[in-house]
Amino acid sequence: MNLGHVAIASLFFTVSVASADPATATLFQGRCAACHGKDGAGQTPAGKKLKVSDWTKTDKAKSMTDAQMEVVIEKGVKADGKVRMPGFATLTPEQRKALVAHVRTL
């Protein structure tokens, strides 16, 4: 196995560990899934009403850096003077990073 294969294997292992973390999955379920759906498709009643992005079919999440996603999780999203997504400022930086890693697996 060459170093390139080791790097790729390490990347896949890291992603699978991040997405398999039960605490992160529970956090996503409790904070995000009501609108974004368990699978990230946004096909929940709230997600449809708010017209959230389908993370499984769009490049929305891919177009954002991890740092940008962490800010959105912390501060939320406001548009047209309305809160479109509440912020979760009480989450730790580690929790926000874990949620970003989870979203990247959807």
Side-chain angles (χ1 to χ4, degrees):
M1 185 181 266
N2 68 34
L3 289 179
H5 290 120
V6 171
I8 291 169
S10 296
L11 174 65
F12 284 120
F13 178 76
T14 301
V15 170
S16 65
V17 168
S19 65
D21 176 38
T24 302
T26 299
L27 186 60
F28 184 86
Q29 183 65 33
R31 303 285 177 116
C32 312
C35 294
H36 293 286
K38 186 175 180 179
D39 63 355
Q43 295 302 304
T44 65
K48 289 176 183 179
K49 180 178 179 184
L50 294 170
K51 299 179 183 166
V52 300
S53 297
D54 180 346
W55 294 335
T56 66
K57 294 185 179 178
T58 67
D59 290 332
K60 177 77 172 178
K62 292 178 187 176
S63 70
M64 297 175 71
T65 66
D66 288 358
Q68 289 170 321
M69 289 181 77
E70 288 176 41
V71 169
V72 168
I73 293 168
E74 178 183 11
K75 300 189 182 290
V77 176
K78 295 170 186 69
D80 302 322
K82 296 180 182 180
V83 174
R84 297 208 8 101
M85 181 184 125
F88 300 105
T90 59
L91 296 178
T92 66
E94 292 78 20
Q95 288 173 312
R96 290 191 296 271
K97 286 181 189 309
L99 282 173
V100 169
H102 181 78
V103 168
R104 299 270 188 228
T105 67
L106 300 174

